[in-house]
Amino acid sequence: MTPTESRWAHLSYLFSLLFKAMIGAAQLAGGLGLLLIPGAQIKTYLATLAAVELVKDPDETLALWLQHSAPEVPLGHPWFYVIYLVLHG
């Protein structure tokens, strides 16, 4: 491997570590958010977010899916999600 190739390999490795760290931080924040924010408030936020997006574009697929799926998300006992996200992050 030439020095230039070695340098690019090292830079791509560092970039992948940074990317994994950002994903881990997001998972940790999500787990702590689930622990601190009540499930009903999360469902209300998701429904509001979907409604705002559907006002802009009534045919938006993701917003329609979110609007129909948000009420069915089981957030009554989020301990599994919290433990998974905090330990995985």
Side-chain angles (χ1 to χ4, degrees):
M1 187 180 287
T2 66
T4 302
E5 290 173 338
S6 177
R7 180 174 175 261
W8 282 110
H10 182 71
L11 287 176
S12 65
Y13 172 73
L14 291 177
F15 177 75
S16 70
L17 284 180
L18 177 65
F19 187 68
K20 288 184 87 144
M22 290 187 324
I23 290 173
Q27 288 176 336
L28 183 63
L32 293 176
L34 280 175
L35 185 63
L36 299 174
I37 300 172
Q41 190 174 358
I42 293 173
K43 287 182 181 183
T44 302
Y45 174 74
L46 292 176
T48 303
L49 181 66
V52 168
E53 289 301 316
L54 287 173
V55 166
K56 294 177 187 174
D57 182 10
D59 297 323
E60 186 171 343
T61 307
L62 183 60
L64 287 170
W65 175 81
L66 185 62
Q67 185 180 39
H68 294 310
S69 305
E72 299 173 14
V73 175
L75 290 176
H77 301 286
W79 287 107
F80 171 76
Y81 304 116
V82 170
I83 291 170
Y84 175 81
L85 287 171
V86 168
L87 292 179
H88 196 260

